[in-house]
Amino acid sequence: MKITDLKCAVVDGYPLVRIDTDEGISGLAQIEFPKSYLKPHVLFYKRFIVGEDPRNVERVMLRIRRLGGFKPWGSSVSAVEMALWDIAGKAMGVPLYRLLGGKVRDKVRVYNTG
């Protein structure tokens, strides 16, 4: 499996990242705050990841983290990583939490701040 494309669209100010593969599996991620200015930075990483195996998440991340995995662009790098993990889970046919150590609890308490 190889990465064929990296795309980024801004919807209501939130950048959405999609990584496509030659096997028809796509990984998706969203940057957490309205940061439409990050779209060009996300797309900057395309030339560094196309052709790589998206299931080798750490290998791909080592290539791009050194190029700017710090503020204010760290969100771009994190979104690429989330999309890679999405692909890995889909390729193996398991929920992502299985790849990240397994299920810990059945419920999660939520709260609203602000």
Side-chain angles (χ1 to χ4, degrees):
M1 178 182 301
K2 300 287 182 200
I3 296 171
T4 58
D5 203 2
L6 168 66
K7 297 179 181 176
C8 184
V10 178
V11 178
D12 291 331
Y14 292 88
L16 303 174
V17 176
R18 186 174 92 191
I19 296 176
D20 297 321
T21 69
D22 60 351
E23 294 187 16
I25 298 173
S26 295
L28 302 172
Q30 177 182 333
I31 295 177
E32 80 280 15
F33 294 113
K35 296 180 179 178
S36 58
Y37 60 87
L38 288 178
K39 180 179 178 177
H41 199 298
V42 170
L43 296 175
F44 167 79
Y45 295 116
K46 180 177 178 174
R47 64 184 165 150
F48 298 101
I49 68 170
V50 168
E52 293 288 326
D53 186 335
R55 297 166 296 185
N56 294 332
V57 177
E58 188 60 25
R59 179 186 170 120
V60 175
M61 293 310 297
L62 285 172
R63 289 188 61 123
I64 67 171
R65 265 193 210 112
R66 62 183 173 78
L67 301 170
F70 45 84
K71 288 187 177 187
W73 304 284
S75 296
S76 302
V77 173
S78 296
V80 170
E81 182 173 12
M82 286 185 277
L84 292 172
W85 280 113
D86 189 32
I87 291 170
K90 289 175 180 177
M92 294 180 173
V94 298
L96 183 54
Y97 69 82
R98 293 249 186 229
L99 300 179
L100 298 176
K103 188 175 179 181
V104 176
R105 56 184 66 85
D106 293 319
K107 296 180 182 179
V108 177
R109 293 182 65 180
V110 297
Y111 62 94
N112 187 8
T113 63

